[in-house]
Amino acid sequence: MFKLQTVRGTHDILPHESRRHRLVTETAFEFARRYGYDEISTPIFEMTEVFIRTLGETSDIVTKEMYTFDDRSGDSITLRPEFTAGVARAFISGGLAHCLPLKVFCRGPMFRYERPQKGRLRQFHQIDVEILGVAEPLADIEIIAIGSDILDALGLSEKVTLEINTLGDGKSRANYRAKLVEYFNDYRDKLSDDSLVRLERNPLRILDSKDKGDRDLVAEAPLLSDSLNMRSQEFFGAVTAGLDALSIDYTLSPRLVRGLDYYCHVAFEFLTETLGSQGAVIAGGRYDSLIETMGGPPTPGTGWAAGVERLAMMVNDVPVPVRPVCVVPIGDAAGDEALRVTHRLRRCGFTVELGYSGNVKKRLNRANKINASAAIFLGEDELAKGVATIRDMGSGEQTEAPLASLEEHLTRYR
Ligand code: ATP
Ligand code: MG
């Protein structure tokens, strides 16, 4: 039998859930807009190469989580697992180098083959901000401030903490990498198989390992902060000073990393304890050599992405839908007038429902059910006089109003 259900790890976003999502994405866009970001949309799928180049062949996403398939012409296609790669590709292929600084906001679905659980889906949604072409710490301060403002506006400030770290510049990381390799080489027999591969190809990624044995070793590993050169220290100092100036609280988290070579300087996460083991709600950092790695002109960048489902789950106050007014025709003769009145009021900006069928009682029941603020009765008597009867659904009080100026008598129900 054909199974009528969604694919594991995906779900329908029904109207009440949609309102939560919209609250998150629209609040986010509103703040991004205030900071001068404009929305862009990139395709939901890209050539697989785009993600392999940006995320790196050893990343969890590329090795385990991508939805990759050959399309009918034999091209390898991947459903996007994140935004940054597509944005970087768009920047290069669209020749946007003359638009710097480029400040963009994105929203939309992402696809990762993961073990589904609360707050972890195979199709989920992200909001994302990226700023390209600003090498100064001000850009990092700005994107963190946007994230903080959004969380605040959603009423989530108390539920999240900001953790921040620096990966330093290329030289600092090369220095650190050497120390890490030396350290982990002594524990090759204790490292997980995955981390043995990481040790050869990208030792920083070991710090990100979720393996228990690896984590114990990581706890004793040398700290990146001890390998930072002056330039890197100054950069990070400027970012934290900016956050201090804005009174944005943060915790320094020396083990927070992004294990790819083009990530540098600032890495941060807004974390929560309210979603079980799915702690990260917003994650971001600086990626100064990404665009160059992908074949574009050297262009610094920094940005973050947030999980819409995770944020939506945390939000308490979801706006209720606007209460409609309900037009109730009485008798067949009123049908056309009811249709016209409904149409006119909608064009004036009212949210209007028309009682579609049934007797007056049934239509009134429906008005109650949809939480209408007022019902507008149109019967034979009313039509003869050129009026409508307005019934306040709260008090039950009824008044007559001329049809010609109906909207003026309804302003309090708008
Ligand atoms: P995690 O450690 O939870 O797997 P991540 O490091 O893979 O997160 P990022 O790639 O940084 O996550 O994505 C940014 C944000 O997107 C995360 O902080 C999270 O809020 C959200 N997110 C990531 N993966 C999922 C998923 N499978 N389902 C729902 N939200 C997700
Ligand atoms: Mg993940």
Side-chain angles (χ1 to χ4, degrees), residues 61 65 81-82 112 114 119-122 124-126 210 258 269 278-283 305-310:
I61 293 185
E65 298 176 0
E82 57 112 52
R112 296 186 192 179
E114 303 199 65
R120 189 173 296 283
L121 295 153
R122 290 183 176 174
F124 62 101
H125 295 76
Q126 281 187 342
K210 299 204 162 110
R258 321 224 124 214
E269 278 180 344
Q278 272 54 258
V281 287
I282 300 183
V308 175
E309 280 80 0
R310 291 189 193 174

Side-chain angles (χ1 to χ4, degrees), residues 15 38 96 215 232 312:
D38 223 340
L96 299 178
R215 298 226 58 82
S232 303

Side-chain angles (χ1 to χ4, degrees), residues 35 37 131 134 136-149 162 164 235-248 266 268 270 286 302 304:
Y35 280 80
Y37 291 66
I131 172 163
V134 183
E136 287 75 17
L138 264 183
D140 305 275
I141 298 165
E142 179 173 293
I143 59 161
I144 293 173
I146 300 176
S148 165
D149 280 352
L162 169 61
I164 178 166
F235 191 100
F236 194 52
V239 174
T240 52
L243 297 179
D244 292 338
L246 295 177
S247 304
I248 296 175
V266 183
F268 63 89
F270 286 90
R286 182 167 272 278
T302 184
W304 57 246

Side-chain angles (χ1 to χ4, degrees), residues 382-403:
E382 278 92 355
L383 289 190
K385 288 199 278 178
V387 299
T389 300
I390 301 170
R391 177 195 180 100
D392 184 285
M393 295 297 282
S395 65
E397 187 192 327
Q398 301 203 155
T399 48
E400 268 187 8
L403 277 178

